[in-house]
Amino acid sequence: MESAGARCSSGGSCDPDVVCEKRLFKAKLPEPLVQLACSHHHCAFPVNGNELCIWNTATAQSLFLSGHHYSISALSFGSNINPPLVCSASHERVIVWNLDECTQKVQEGFTPHGIVIRTLLGMVLHVRFSPDDQQVAVCAGNRIYMLSAKNETILAKLDGHLAPVTAAEFCTWEKSMLISVSEDRTFKVWDYSTGQLIYQSGIITAAFPLLSLLIDEENKQLVTGCAEGQLWIFSLISDHNYRCVTHINLKKEQEKFCNKVWKSGKEIGEGQNDSKVCKTDNMRPEGSVETSLPVLLIEHCDFSVCFRNEEKMYSALNTSYFWIGTSTGLLIINLANFELEAFLSYKDYSDLSIRFARSCALTKKTVNGKVLCLITSMFEDMIAVLEVNLATLVRTQNNVFLPCGNESSLSVIARCSLLTNSPLLKGLKKNRKEPSSKTFGVKSTVKDKPLVFHNKIKSSGYTAAPRKTMFSPNTNLNKKEVSKWKTSCKCKSKEYPLDGDPPIKYEKQISVTCKPTPIFCIQYSGDGEMLACGLADKTVLIFNSNLTDTYNVFSGHDGAVNSVGWSHNKKWLVSASEDRTLRVWSVCNKEPALIMGKENFDKTVRFAQFYFLDTFILLCCGAEFHLLNFHLDTTKDDLKRYKQKSVFKLVQKFPMASTVEITSLSAVNDFYSYIVLTAGSNRALEVFDLNAGCSTAVIPEVHTRSVHQIYQNKGSSFSTQQPEAYNLFMTTAAGDGIKLWDLRTLRCERRFEGHSSRCYPCGIAVSPCGRFIASGSDDKYAYIYEMRSSTFLHKLGRHTESVINVTFSPSSPQLTTATLDGRLQLFLP
């Protein structure tokens, strides 16, 4: 069965610009797994078992150092450039070498010597210098020895692992903190100054040992990998208690990435065969990755070289990338969305001498856009120095996905006038004719009557003296009226604060009905003064913002209310129900202003909203969504009360491709926008341009399950600092977290994990300031995220059932949650 790696990277085998073999060394390698080392100027590896070779990357000269009697098993360069230090460890001794002194000794004709800092520690699998190069952590057997880098002093012994320790890293922002992983499948956090154990994890993997470790300083996270190609990311933020952020299956990510590249290459067609996108045969890829992917190395990746002119596209989110070194190749992982960006398979480049690696090392920073990779052969006594062109590698496989910076990219904000054949223009033209009653075919029922019915008519005032003052202010207002007037003015001018803490303080809880009733949807009005709720008991409720009073109750649906949506002017509310009807309500009236009955829809109306500044209504029904033009008239006719004066007309239907049902729809109503986003049961997301009247883009497999909700920025506060934020939108699906997308690039920019919603689809919301994200969950908690972090900041409790909906007030920092048993909870900062 063909593997995903063979499918995807076959296109790179004929491109020598991606990777080249700079140097090949043939020497006897030691038997145990070797920790190699690469720095900005040097590569270090053992030759002939116990001899150390330092290869200068600038001069291509080798420096050979002797001092070990047994095979060298671990190597590491110092953290600082001056002086350049390297530590080598074998079964019988650990030596620290000063490369400047060693080079000078060789030039003078003397034999260089290092400082032996310890002897007879046993089998050493890993060594690491402290940030100041004053100490060395040596992983020997089940212990970690903290040694002085200048003499044979043991500063501390860290004992606690039940199997050999495979890697250890220093935490730079925490004084005296060291983290280690072991074959016992756990990681431990130590205070190496006192030798005390701070934290001990549970067993992470089922049967495979942990082999590698990386500490991400920017996001304060721990990344570890095992022998079966699995990655785990844990948060190191002080109050997060080392919780797991996410788990990544490299085999699945590699296959998903290859399928995406394969489909993109197929869409390009034969007319662009010169493209560097991976090319394959016409067979559709099937099967899964069969090759084992032991995570030999995790290293930082300087991904910025891939975006020379596109840095502005990524200025909104600071993203970290890291290399994964495996026995078959190199992979690049995006730490924001936990997805594969590119990978290099050794066997697909015929010029490379090594096809399967036993160990590897990489330089952290690029030189002229290139990184050095040092690998040893699994089956032969060979060591190769590879030069990988990072930008070429990424663009070879990713040029379809990377931002191109052209002006034709999608934008939520309308950037051109309406086209002559636009469905929106047709609807607007019809709407201009509709205010007159004759347009709707309704005859006037008002008969001619006398102008005046009174016996006495008041004088017109022509005989009175003319008024000298046209307008005089009312100065007789009492204090209560003045204070009420001031309060109302303040309420109208409220704006959401851009700075401040998230609303996490429990304020109150109310039950919306006498018995438990699921609240399927909630939404604040644009001014934040009212909250609409759609219930499973067929009613729509409107509360004031502080949940102290019920403003109105709307009844008339014959099924559960699926969605509610406010108009831009806050006067109307649209609701969709399981009864295959849609109703528009006046906020001040209990009777519906417009009813669209079952005869208009073949299937249930899942979602409805106002669109284009209340000009249209969008609704999704089955596998298509409808664009409706409407006119609302609430005046009463005494003779024909049963007949509604409000009318609607279908402008156009838009089918979503290859799906059975549209599961979510979103569009902006607060300003003119042509973009409509839809998600289907086929797990895809489709972008429609209603100005052109067609679909413009499709993102396949947005989540592992059907998208439950699409959330867009629809307010004004979000974009006060960053206008590009309107092009960001979010999606969520049960059991697959939350993803942040950029409409211009159709790329997932960040993924939010950590909450426990696994079965029930729960809602999401973004604060108007754009800093915080709220998510419901089926574990009876609501979760608060910070936009730049992939794990949650706070858990909001005191819920009695699954939290299925959340919403932020657009005018004040408050959060309202809705539960499956019909309770609303209010949270304040």
Side-chain angles (χ1 to χ4, degrees):
M1 186 179 292
E2 184 187 26
S3 68
R7 289 197 304 269
C8 189
S9 57
S10 59
S13 59
C14 58
D15 191 352
D17 296 332
V18 174
V19 59
C20 67
E21 192 173 278
K22 290 197 69 175
R23 190 70 182 268
L24 181 67
F25 298 88
K26 292 188 177 181
K28 185 178 180 180
L29 296 176
E31 286 299 326
L33 184 68
V34 176
Q35 177 196 3
L36 304 177
C38 275
S39 71
H40 189 64
H41 301 290
H42 301 93
C43 292
F45 50 89
V47 293
N48 301 322
N50 59 1
E51 192 174 11
L52 175 60
C53 177
I54 307 295
W55 189 70
N56 192 306
T57 60
T59 64
Q61 298 294 321
S62 299
L63 174 65
F64 294 94
L65 304 175
S66 300
H68 291 277
H69 300 296
Y70 291 86
S71 298
I72 298 174
S73 58
L75 294 164
S76 179
F77 281 104
S79 304
N80 301 314
I81 300 176
N82 189 20
L85 302 177
V86 63
C87 178
S88 61
S90 63
H91 185 78
E92 94 290 355
R93 62 180 60 182
V94 181
I95 304 176
V96 173
W97 310 82
N98 186 318
L99 296 185
D100 286 345
E101 294 178 0
C102 292
T103 303
Q104 185 177 356
K105 289 285 185 181
V106 171
Q107 292 173 352
E108 294 174 355
F110 298 103
T111 301
H113 295 284
I115 302 174
V116 179
I117 60 174
R118 200 62 191 172
T119 59
L120 302 176
L121 293 180
M123 177 56 64
V124 178
L125 295 181
H126 192 90
V127 293
R128 184 66 68 195
F129 277 95
S130 62
D132 57 1
D133 287 346
Q134 298 299 309
Q135 302 173 48
V136 180
V138 180
C139 304
N142 299 359
R143 293 180 177 178
I144 305 168
Y145 295 88
M146 296 301 302
L147 307 179
S148 170
K150 298 180 180 179
N151 50 53
E152 292 191 49
T153 303
I154 297 181
L155 303 176
K157 291 182 183 179
L158 309 180
D159 196 351
H161 280 291
L162 303 178
V165 182
T166 53
E169 293 287 342
F170 289 89
C171 188
T172 56
W173 67 88
E174 292 286 350
K175 185 179 180 181
S176 304
M177 179 181 286
L178 181 79
I179 302 176
S180 61
V181 295
S182 166
E183 291 183 5
D184 63 8
R185 298 165 290 161
T186 67
F187 75 87
K188 299 186 189 303
V189 183
W190 311 85
D191 184 342
Y192 61 83
S193 63
T194 62
Q196 292 183 349
L197 179 65
I198 300 175
Y199 176 81
Q200 174 179 330
S201 74
I203 295 178
I204 298 173
T205 72
F208 295 89
L210 299 177
L211 300 180
S212 51
L213 175 66
L214 173 75
I215 293 180
D216 179 31
E217 299 177 9
E218 182 178 349
N219 297 291
K220 294 187 177 181
Q221 291 178 340
L222 158 70
V223 186
T224 182
C226 76
E228 199 198 10
Q230 309 285 329
L231 287 179
W232 285 266
I233 300 177
F234 297 89
S235 177
L236 297 179
I237 297 176
S238 57
D239 57 347
H240 285 189
N241 299 319
Y242 305 97
R243 63 169 174 254
C244 181
V245 176
T246 191
H247 162 248
I248 303 174
N249 187 324
L250 292 179
K251 296 179 183 180
K252 291 184 179 180
E253 288 299 322
Q254 183 174 334
E255 184 171 10
K256 183 171 71 172
F257 175 80
C258 293
N259 289 338
K260 185 167 61 172
V261 174
W262 180 86
K263 291 177 182 178
S264 301
K266 187 176 179 181
E267 292 173 0
I268 289 177
E270 297 178 358
Q272 298 184 15
N273 286 333
D274 57 340
S275 173
K276 292 184 181 294
V277 178
C278 304
K279 303 176 182 66
T280 61
D281 54 21
N282 293 326
M283 293 180 62
R284 192 180 187 278
E286 295 180 356
S288 59
V289 179
E290 295 179 350
T291 308
S292 178
L293 292 174
V295 182
L296 306 176
L297 171 78
I298 309 174
E299 187 57 88
H300 293 279
C301 178
D302 187 9
F303 206 73
S304 59
V305 298
C306 301
F307 304 104
R308 293 168 187 161
N309 299 322
E310 296 94 355
E311 291 88 354
K312 294 180 180 179
M313 304 291 288
Y314 289 80
S315 59
L317 296 169
N318 297 324
T319 305
S320 298
Y321 300 82
F322 55 92
W323 290 97
I324 302 294
T326 70
S327 58
T328 59
L330 302 173
L331 302 90
I332 301 177
I333 296 290
N334 185 327
L335 200 56
N337 58 23
F338 312 124
E339 293 182 356
L340 191 63
E341 295 288 342
F343 83 96
L344 182 152
S345 180
Y346 301 136
K347 67 184 180 63
D348 291 313
Y349 293 86
S350 56
D351 294 337
L352 301 184
S353 303
I354 298 176
R355 303 299 178 90
F356 295 94
R358 186 203 303 183
S359 55
C360 67
L362 281 159
T363 54
K364 291 183 180 180
K365 302 207 173 186
T366 59
V367 179
N368 298 323
K370 300 176 181 179
V371 297
L372 290 180
C373 175
L374 184 65
I375 59 175
T376 62
S377 175
M378 184 177 291
F379 305 112
E380 302 176 75
D381 290 332
M382 291 191 300
I383 303 168
V385 180
L386 309 180
E387 187 178 65
V388 182
N389 191 319
L390 178 56
T392 304
L393 170 65
V394 173
R395 293 180 187 276
T396 296
Q397 299 174 351
N398 266 344
N399 67 338
V400 175
F401 317 129
L402 287 178
C404 54
N406 55 23
E407 295 180 357
S408 61
S409 59
L410 297 170
S411 175
V412 169
I413 301 175
R415 298 185 300 184
C416 62
S417 58
L418 290 173
L419 302 176
T420 55
N421 59 344
S422 172
L424 300 177
L425 185 60
K426 295 177 184 178
L428 287 173
K429 287 181 179 178
K430 293 176 183 177
N431 205 31
R432 292 193 186 102
K433 298 177 182 179
E434 285 181 340
S436 64
S437 61
K438 293 182 180 180
T439 305
F440 302 108
V442 180
K443 296 181 180 180
S444 176
T445 57
V446 181
K447 298 180 180 180
D448 293 336
K449 294 181 180 180
L451 180 64
V452 178
F453 300 93
H454 310 291
N455 295 325
K456 295 181 180 180
I457 301 175
K458 188 178 180 180
S459 172
S460 62
Y462 288 116
T463 59
R467 294 182 62 179
K468 296 181 180 180
T469 305
M470 293 297 295
F471 301 102
S472 58
N474 185 4
T475 57
N476 295 325
L477 290 174
N478 55 38
K479 291 183 179 180
K480 290 185 178 179
E481 290 176 334
V482 172
S483 61
K484 185 177 180 181
W485 176 80
K486 288 183 178 180
T487 305
S488 64
C489 291
K490 287 181 181 179
C491 292
K492 292 180 181 179
S493 62
K494 283 195 297 185
E495 290 185 0
Y496 196 97
L498 296 179
D499 298 323
D501 297 326
I504 60 174
K505 179 185 175 183
Y506 172 83
E507 183 67 17
K508 68 166 55 177
Q509 181 184 92
I510 65 169
S511 296
V512 296
T513 57
C514 300
K515 59 182 180 179
T517 303
I519 304 173
F520 285 148
C521 47
I522 56 175
Q523 187 179 14
Y524 274 104
S525 59
D527 56 5
E529 295 297 319
M530 292 179 286
L531 177 71
C533 305
L535 309 184
D537 67 355
K538 313 172 188 179
T539 61
V540 177
L541 306 182
I542 298 182
F543 295 90
N544 58 1
S545 59
N546 56 8
L547 305 182
T548 57
D549 189 23
T550 304
Y551 186 83
N552 211 337
V553 179
F554 301 127
S555 59
H557 282 294
D558 291 330
V561 180
N562 293 324
S563 75
V564 291
W566 288 93
S567 63
H568 179 67
N569 59 15
K570 280 82 71 178
K571 295 180 179 179
W572 309 97
L573 192 71
V574 60
S575 62
S577 170
E578 289 284 341
D579 62 1
R580 299 199 343 250
T581 66
L582 183 143
R583 296 172 183 247
V584 178
W585 313 82
S586 171
V587 176
C588 302
N589 196 343
K590 291 190 176 184
E591 295 184 6
L594 175 64
I595 301 177
M596 304 180 195
K598 299 179 181 179
E599 65 277 4
N600 298 288
F601 311 109
D602 297 331
K603 296 183 179 180
T604 301
V605 180
R606 294 293 179 192
F607 182 85
Q609 70 161 81
F610 291 99
Y611 173 61
F612 218 65
L613 288 175
D614 299 342
T615 307
F616 303 96
I617 289 178
L618 289 173
L619 63 90
C620 54
C621 177
E624 58 189 11
F625 72 90
H626 301 184
L627 178 68
L628 301 175
N629 192 8
F630 67 98
H631 173 73
L632 301 177
D633 187 352
T634 57
T635 59
K636 295 293 183 181
D637 185 349
D638 292 337
L639 298 179
K640 296 182 179 179
R641 290 185 177 183
Y642 63 90
K643 189 173 182 179
Q644 65 176 11
K645 291 187 176 183
S646 301
V647 295
F648 69 93
K649 185 174 183 179
L650 175 67
V651 179
Q652 188 171 331
K653 294 181 180 181
F654 298 87
M656 186 175 176
S658 304
T659 190
V660 176
E661 184 180 33
I662 294 178
T663 58
S664 183
L665 180 144
S666 180
V668 174
N669 184 43
D670 287 347
F671 54 84
Y672 290 120
S673 173
Y674 306 144
I675 298 298
V676 175
L677 305 176
T678 62
S681 55
N682 60 347
R683 298 177 294 169
L685 186 141
E686 194 163 353
V687 183
F688 289 85
D689 183 351
L690 295 201
N691 188 21
C694 63
S695 171
T696 59
V698 177
I699 308 176
E701 298 181 3
V702 175
H703 287 272
T704 58
R705 298 186 186 180
S706 300
V707 174
H708 167 64
Q709 182 181 354
I710 304 171
Y711 192 95
Q712 281 183 278
N713 163 38
K714 300 178 181 180
S716 57
S717 299
F718 195 176
S719 61
T720 52
Q721 297 177 330
Q722 198 172 347
E724 297 85 1
Y726 278 117
N727 291 312
L728 300 177
F729 64 95
M730 310 191 78
T731 60
T732 183
D736 197 35
I738 305 166
K739 291 185 178 182
L740 175 68
W741 300 82
D742 192 329
L743 182 66
R744 298 160 295 180
T745 62
L746 300 178
R747 286 171 53 93
C748 175
E749 296 297 331
R750 184 171 290 277
R751 184 171 177 172
F752 303 89
E753 293 280 0
H755 68 283
S756 303
S757 183
R758 293 292 176 262
C759 302
Y760 201 90
C762 299
I764 56 174
V766 180
S767 64
C769 65
R771 293 178 54 208
F772 305 108
I773 304 165
S775 170
S777 177
D778 54 15
D779 63 353
K780 303 181 183 179
Y781 285 95
Y783 291 81
I784 301 293
Y785 294 83
E786 204 273 330
M787 186 63 76
R788 296 180 182 271
S789 175
S790 296
T791 186
F792 63 88
L793 294 177
H794 304 281
K795 289 174 65 175
L796 308 183
R798 304 184 71 170
H799 297 98
T800 54
E801 251 294 352
S802 298
V803 182
I804 56 177
N805 278 293
V806 292
T807 183
F808 284 97
S809 169
S811 60
S812 60
Q814 68 181 43
L815 172 72
T816 301
T817 62
T819 59
L820 202 57
D821 61 352
R823 295 175 185 269
L824 294 175
Q825 278 195 186
L826 182 65
F827 294 89
L828 300 177

